[in-house]
C-alpha cells in the first residue's frame, strides 16, 4: 500500500487522468527498487515486521517519486496512488486511453509488482534473521497462537519457498548470500526446519512453542 506523497504544480484532482505509460513506468521502477530492500545496513534494536513493511513502502515511494519527476510535477502522487488502488479493484476509469488489451497489460504489471513487494518483504525478514542472531526480542512462549500470527507466518513461508536463493539453499545448502553465514546442515529437512524457525522468530514466537501449538491444531 502506497502512502501519500504530495507534489507541487499539479492539475486539479477532479480533472486528472493518469496516462498508461506513467503507470507502467512506475511498475517497472518499483520492481527494480524493491530489489534493494534486502540490502540492510542497520537493524533497529527492537525489530518488528512493521520495520520490514516500512522499507517495502519506502522503496515503492522512491519509485513513484522518480516516475513523477519525469513528468515535471504535472501529476500529484496522491492522485496516482488513488488510481493504483482503483486498478486493484478493476476500475480503469481514470487511466487515459486504456483499452481492453492494455488493461490486461496493466493488470499483469501490477501483479508482478505486488509479487515483487511480497518477495522483498520475505527477503528482508529472512536475511535479517539469518545475519542478526544477536537481536534480542521477547518471544511468545505462553500465549495461544492467534489466527493473525498464523496467517502472517504462512504468508511469509509460502513466499520464502518461491525465492530462488531459498530453493537453492534447501536443495544443496548454497548460501543465500555471500555475506551471510549460517549454520551448516546435512539434509534438506534440517535446512527447511532452520527457515521455519527463523520465520517463527520473525513473527514474534519461540519456534518450539509455536511448533507444539501447530501440532495441536
Amino acid at each position: 500500500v502506497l502512502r501519500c506523497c504530495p507534489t507541487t504544480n499539479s492539475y486539479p484532482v477532479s480533472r486528472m487522468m493518469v496516462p498508461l505509460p506513467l503507470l507502467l513506468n512506475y511498475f517497472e521502477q518499483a520492481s527494480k527498487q524493491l530489489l534493494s530492500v534486502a540490502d540492510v545496513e542497520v537493524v533497529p534494536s527492537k525489530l518488528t515486521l512493521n520495520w520490514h513493511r516500512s522499507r517495502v513502502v519506502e522503496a515503492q515511494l522512491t519509485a513513484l517519486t522518480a516516475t513523477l519527476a519525469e513528468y515535471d510535477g504535472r501529476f500529484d502522487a496522491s492522485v496516482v496512488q488513488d488510481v493504483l488502488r482503483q486498478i486493484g479493484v478493476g476500475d480503469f476509469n481514470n487511466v487515459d486511453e486504456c483499452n481492453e488489451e492494455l488493461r490486461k497489460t496493466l493488470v499483469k504489471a501490477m501483479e508482478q509488482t505486488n509479487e515483487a513487494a511480497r518477495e522483498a518483504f520475505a527477503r528482508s525478514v529472512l536475511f535479517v534473521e539469518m545475519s542478526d542472531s544477536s537481536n534480542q526480542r521477547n518471544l511468545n512462549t505462553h500465549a495461544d497462537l492467534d489466527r493473525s500470527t498464523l496467517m502472517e507466518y504462512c504468508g511469509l513461508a509460502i513466499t520464502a519457498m518461491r525465492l530462488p536463493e531459498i530453493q537453492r539453499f534447501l536443495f544443496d545448502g548454497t548460501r543465500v548470500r555471500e555475506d551471510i553465514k549460517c549454520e551448516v546442515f546435512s539434509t534438506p529437512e534440517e535446512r527447511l526446519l532452520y527457515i521455519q524457525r527463523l520465520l517463527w522468530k520473525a513473527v514474534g514466537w519461540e519456534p518450539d512453542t509455536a511448533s507444539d501449538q501447530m501440532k495441536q491444531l
Side-chain angles (χ1 to χ4, degrees), residues 61-82:
L61 286 173
T62 298
L64 180 59
T65 300
T67 300
L68 296 180
E70 298 179 16
Y71 288 81
D72 301 321
R74 288 180 290 147
F75 297 93
D76 188 280
S78 62
V79 173
V80 176
Q81 290 169 10
D82 285 341

Side-chain angles (χ1 to χ4, degrees), residues 31 38 50-51 55 138 172:
S31 294
N50 282 336
W51 178 78
R55 301 187 70 248
N138 293 321
D172 60 10

Side-chain angles (χ1 to χ4, degrees), residues 3-14:
R3 295 176 297 184
C4 180
C5 181
T7 59
T8 58
N9 301 320
S10 57
Y11 292 136
V13 172
S14 60

